[in-house]
Amino acid sequence: MITSTTGPQPADFADVRATNLAVVLRFVREHAPCSRADIAASTGLNKATVSSLVADLIDRRLVRETGLTENRVGRPATMLVLDGSPYAAIGVEINVDTVSAVAVDLAGERLLTWRRSFSAGDSVNQGVAAVGAVVRRVVGRMAKEERQVLGLAVAVPGLVDVQGTVRIAPGLGWRDADLGGDLAKALRDPGFPIQVDNDANLAALAEQRFGAHAGASDLVYLTGELGVGAGVILDGRLRKGGRGFSGEIGHVQLDPEGPRCHCGRRGCLEAMAGIAAVLRRDLSPAETQVEIEEVVRLARAGDAGTLATLDSVGRHLGQGVSLLASLLNPEVVILGGYYVPLAPWLLPAVRDELAGRVIAEEAGGCQVVASTLGHDAAALGGAARVLDSVDSGRLPGGLSRIP
């Protein structure tokens, strides 16, 4: 007789408890201050189980008690809030000219933001050395503050597969780079997990957790750096595709006779609505920042040529947004990067195209807005990825109380 072991297996008690700990931690994150009774009533866990789980979270210093409240029927209740003071999550973004690092605590409060210069075209080894130097400084600062690093997530402007290998990052000149593995070696196995992902994906996570539309179940983040990529969240989860290569909206062709794109084809969204289309030429990142500031100045002054260019770019961008709205029906599409300072002039054209191209009434409820998170969105999203891991049950071990 042939038997199969692929069917449902009994759940391990430790797995069940880890899941329940994560459920309670997420509830406190979303509803603090709250009581043990609030948790039991909302999660369906019995009161004894909740008390045990809360005691565990307090021991791990993930949750703390914050006094009594009498604004309820019955006896005053001891209220709970997030603690997490001994912990930090680190996010890093590698761009074509900078490496940015962000550290946050368990509640998402920024502990530091650092940036250092970086040269596109450096080898992977040089890139690993640069990132490793920044991470070591951040970890050192956290150690001085007696914080345990929960994890590191690194954002890269390119295709990153589901194993975290950077398959191609054109702006960096990298191919098939095991960035996570190389970083672990450079950091001498630091004792915390290292993840690598596409910059748009991590920026989308930052928006979902920290942005003006935090909590949205369906959102798309569009990068507005030297390339155009999309981070897609549907039903509350980041969607990366079968091999991790989703979101390459910048290379959807809008016009076969359009301008040449960096990928070698013509009329891609990136070529027609990217930052180079605004500036009408390719520039270094440092030059791009200066030129964008000049474009903003001219637009504010009412320069006709500048306004016409921004309207044209906005309409092409609106075509791309319309495709996303028709295929995915997100609640919101968020424009990031260099699109943010240009948003007052881009958004009217984007919204007009969206309204005219999506068959659903009111564009299916899709809004288009500018990000409020700044150029550190992807690094902040790296930290958000680490916090997501904690919320999913990857909890740090218990800590002795610090007097």
Side-chain angles (χ1 to χ4, degrees):
M1 181 174 67
I2 299 174
T3 61
S4 172
T5 59
T6 59
Q9 300 296 307
D12 184 88
F13 175 77
D15 292 339
V16 173
R17 185 168 179 82
T19 298
N20 287 340
L21 283 167
V23 167
V24 173
L25 183 63
R26 286 197 301 270
F27 186 89
V28 175
R29 179 189 294 282
E30 294 168 5
H31 299 95
C34 59
S35 69
R36 290 166 176 82
D38 295 331
I39 297 169
S42 297
T43 64
L45 297 169
N46 67 54
K47 292 182 180 179
T49 299
V50 169
S51 293
S52 174
L53 294 169
V54 168
D56 194 341
L57 292 173
I58 289 174
D59 181 62
R60 296 169 189 260
R61 297 190 64 189
L62 295 169
V63 167
R64 63 182 173 85
E65 296 178 337
T66 186
L68 303 175
T69 180
E70 298 182 359
N71 297 326
R72 57 178 61 231
V73 177
R75 294 187 304 171
T78 302
M79 305 305 284
L80 303 166
V81 296
L82 285 180
D83 183 1
S85 55
Y87 303 108
I90 302 174
V92 169
E93 179 184 9
I94 305 174
N95 217 317
V96 294
D97 65 334
T98 58
V99 174
S100 302
V102 172
V104 303
D105 65 13
L106 194 67
E109 294 296 322
R110 290 205 193 198
L111 303 171
L112 62 81
T113 302
W114 283 344
R115 181 175 293 185
R116 63 164 289 178
S117 61
F118 175 75
S119 298
D122 281 355
S123 69
V124 175
N125 288 340
Q126 291 172 308
V128 168
V131 174
V134 170
V135 172
R136 278 191 291 272
R137 285 189 61 201
V138 176
V139 171
R141 171 68 68 85
M142 294 302 98
K144 289 181 180 178
E145 297 180 8
E146 298 185 323
R147 293 180 183 271
Q148 174 186 337
V149 175
L150 297 172
L152 164 68
V154 183
V156 180
L159 295 181
V160 181
D161 68 20
V162 292
Q163 283 78 39
T165 301
V166 181
R167 289 302 177 191
I168 179 170
L172 303 178
W174 294 358
R175 280 184 176 272
D176 298 325
D178 180 16
L179 183 60
D182 291 343
L183 268 175
K185 293 175 184 176
L187 296 171
R188 298 180 180 178
D189 296 322
F192 51 78
I194 299 174
Q195 303 175 72
V196 180
D197 206 340
N198 169 265
D199 56 350
N201 288 341
L202 293 182
L205 290 180
E207 293 289 349
Q208 186 191 37
R209 185 177 281 264
F210 303 118
H213 290 262
S217 295
D218 300 274
L219 70 80
V220 177
Y221 179 93
L222 285 183
T223 61
E225 303 294 341
L226 300 185
V228 179
V232 179
I233 290 176
L234 296 178
D235 299 325
R237 296 179 57 193
L238 182 66
R239 303 296 179 172
K240 301 173 63 174
R243 296 189 178 182
F245 302 150
S246 67
E248 288 299 312
I249 186 71
H251 298 292
V252 170
Q253 190 178 61
L254 300 183
D255 180 2
E257 304 300 321
R260 180 78 65 181
C261 180
H262 293 112
C263 71
R265 291 174 291 184
R266 290 188 173 275
C268 293
L269 175 66
E270 187 173 298
M272 301 186 72
I275 296 307
V278 175
L279 304 179
R280 298 185 176 181
R281 54 184 174 144
D282 291 324
L283 297 170
S284 71
E287 293 171 325
T288 297
Q289 180 61 44
V290 172
E291 289 296 315
I292 289 292
E293 292 171 0
E294 177 64 10
V295 169
V296 169
R297 187 191 70 79
L298 290 171
R300 285 175 176 164
D303 179 76
T306 299
L307 294 176
T309 296
L310 292 173
D311 181 75
S312 174
V313 168
R315 293 193 177 280
H316 292 312
L317 186 57
Q319 292 180 46
V321 171
S322 299
L323 291 172
L324 292 169
S326 295
L327 287 170
L328 306 177
N329 189 213
E331 301 168 48
V332 60
V333 174
I334 301 169
L335 306 184
Y338 292 117
Y339 286 141
V340 174
L342 302 176
W345 301 278
L346 294 177
L347 283 175
V350 172
R351 290 166 177 163
D352 187 54
E353 288 293 315
L354 181 67
R357 290 176 177 273
V358 176
I359 192 170
E361 185 177 356
E362 296 181 348
C366 178
Q367 303 178 61
V368 189
V369 301
S371 175
T372 59
L373 297 182
H375 278 283
D376 295 320
L380 185 59
R385 166 63 66 79
V386 175
L387 297 182
D388 282 350
S389 297
V390 175
D391 285 351
S392 298
R394 191 177 297 166
L395 305 182
L399 295 173
S400 59
R401 296 180 182 274
I402 299 175

